[in-house]
Amino acid sequence: MTPTPIILDCDPGHDDAIALLLALASPELELVGVTTVSGNQTLDKTTANALRVLELAGRTDVPVHAGADRPFIRARDVAAHVHGESGLDGPDLPPPSTRAQDQHAVDYLAEQIRARDGKITLVPTGPLTNIGLLFATHPDVRPERIVLMGGAAGEGNRTPAAEFNIWADPEAAQRVFAEELDTTMIGLDVTHRALITDAHTEAMRGAGRVGKAVAELMDFYARFHKVRYPELDGSPMHDPVCIAHLIDPQLVEVRDAYIEVDCSGGPSWGRTNVDWRSREHFAAPNAKVGLDIDGDAFARMVVERISSLP
């Protein structure tokens, strides 16, 4: 079977790093390149972190292109309280010995989509600034598919109404959904059921250099989630769910819906309003929305594939 070509647009971030490693460990996927955006940390840090993770995995052949360093409108706000000052606090990863490419992420994305006649999947796991800019500045490009981590039909995590990635740049997110492409939104309704437990972490800790680094990432990442979500038996693995869904579409249950992002600037700024019945707009669905996941199968996939990396 021919691997599905993907570009991972990310803001590493602990769970972005694990999504990146899961993609590298999966023969079903071809990681064509990585683009970075400001989100979990500032752009310089998320770009350095992407390079560090690729170097950890021995895949410095994968190009990294830095993108937007701030949202469309709102002030930049990073998630250091979750991911630490480096964005990847926990393991002692050395500074990268490689550097990002000179070409801006948005131009790289446009170039790759055109060169492949659209036959590539974009996997945004951070704020959607780069993807929104792509459609605003290159309106002719049409990727085959977008599988993004963000949003929620229910409770948010940055505010009661909004999930962090969409909250960080609501206007960019609305621009993406307005394109009405083949878009799948993997939100908190799914990712809070995709848990990595302490037992999973220990299973990876003994699996070589990569497994040890991932376990140390999880040690740090779990501290926040054990306090914020004591009712969960583990830490939500948000971003790797997008990769897992591409590897095995049966893992995640999805349903068509119409999504509109709240860009009002009020207390619900950044909320993804998910209309299952087209009652508000009388419009056809513009996305698929994740509803549920086989959490046990997902966790097994993460542990087994991360452990397989050399």
Side-chain angles (χ1 to χ4, degrees):
M1 185 176 68
T2 303
T4 300
I6 69 169
I7 295 176
L8 185 58
D9 182 70
C10 56
D11 60 336
H14 293 65
D15 51 334
D16 302 81
I18 296 170
L20 204 165
L21 292 169
L22 181 59
L24 292 173
S26 299
E28 298 89 346
L29 305 177
E30 176 197 358
L31 184 61
V32 172
V34 174
T35 54
T36 58
V37 67
S38 172
N40 286 326
Q41 259 298 349
T42 55
L43 181 66
D44 58 334
K45 294 179 181 179
T46 61
T47 303
N49 289 343
L51 293 166
R52 292 162 77 196
V53 172
L54 288 168
E55 195 159 336
L56 172 70
R59 290 298 308 274
T60 55
D61 58 301
V62 178
V64 175
H65 293 255
D69 65 353
R70 60 178 62 88
F72 274 24
I73 293 175
R74 76 177 313 146
R76 181 175 61 199
D77 193 325
V78 300
H81 63 294
V82 180
H83 299 279
E85 284 305 312
S86 72
L88 278 184
D89 281 13
D92 185 19
L93 295 177
S97 62
T98 56
R99 60 184 297 272
Q101 305 295 309
D102 292 333
Q103 186 182 29
H104 192 279
V106 172
D107 296 326
Y108 170 72
L109 289 166
E111 177 183 271
Q112 289 296 316
I113 294 167
R114 291 189 182 110
R116 296 168 181 267
D117 294 325
K119 296 189 184 307
I120 193 164
T121 296
L122 305 186
V123 187
T125 60
L128 287 164
T129 313
N130 285 340
I131 313 303
L133 285 171
L134 171 69
F135 295 134
T137 58
H138 299 275
D140 62 300
V141 301
R142 309 292 289 177
E144 188 168 61
R145 191 178 180 195
I146 298 172
V147 178
L148 67 92
M149 191 280 131
E155 182 186 9
N157 62 355
R158 181 57 182 82
T159 71
E163 179 275 333
F164 174 80
N165 284 343
I166 306 297
W167 174 90
D169 198 340
E171 289 71 25
Q174 177 60 20
R175 185 71 178 81
V176 172
F177 287 116
E179 289 295 309
E180 299 187 353
L181 295 169
D182 182 355
T183 300
T184 301
M185 183 181 95
I186 303 292
L188 302 180
D189 316 280
V190 170
T191 65
H192 276 194
R193 301 174 186 179
L195 305 176
I196 295 296
T197 66
D198 290 344
H200 297 133
T201 296
E202 291 310 309
M204 290 185 283
R205 197 182 307 276
R209 190 166 60 100
V210 175
K212 179 175 181 292
V214 169
E216 291 172 355
L217 285 171
M218 287 304 306
D219 291 341
F220 185 91
Y221 186 67
R223 295 173 196 169
F224 169 82
H225 290 93
K226 286 177 179 179
V227 173
R228 177 62 63 88
Y229 299 106
E231 71 276 14
L232 297 181
D233 182 26
S235 298
M237 277 288 96
H238 306 288
D239 300 338
V241 177
C242 294
I243 301 298
H245 178 56
L246 286 168
I247 295 167
D248 181 2
Q250 301 306 311
L251 279 179
V252 178
E253 179 187 349
V254 299
R255 179 179 168 189
D256 290 344
Y258 187 90
I259 300 174
E260 186 172 61
V261 181
D262 188 330
C263 296
S264 65
S268 294
W269 196 12
R271 176 166 181 76
T272 45
N273 292 311
V274 179
D275 184 357
W276 303 109
R277 307 177 192 280
S278 298
R279 55 195 159 200
E280 179 65 25
H281 305 89
F282 305 100
N286 62 358
K288 299 178 181 69
V289 177
L291 293 173
D292 202 356
I293 186 170
D294 184 339
D296 291 339
F298 166 77
R300 284 196 302 271
M301 177 188 289
V302 170
V303 172
E304 290 171 3
R305 300 210 177 193
I306 295 295
S307 300
S308 75
L309 286 166

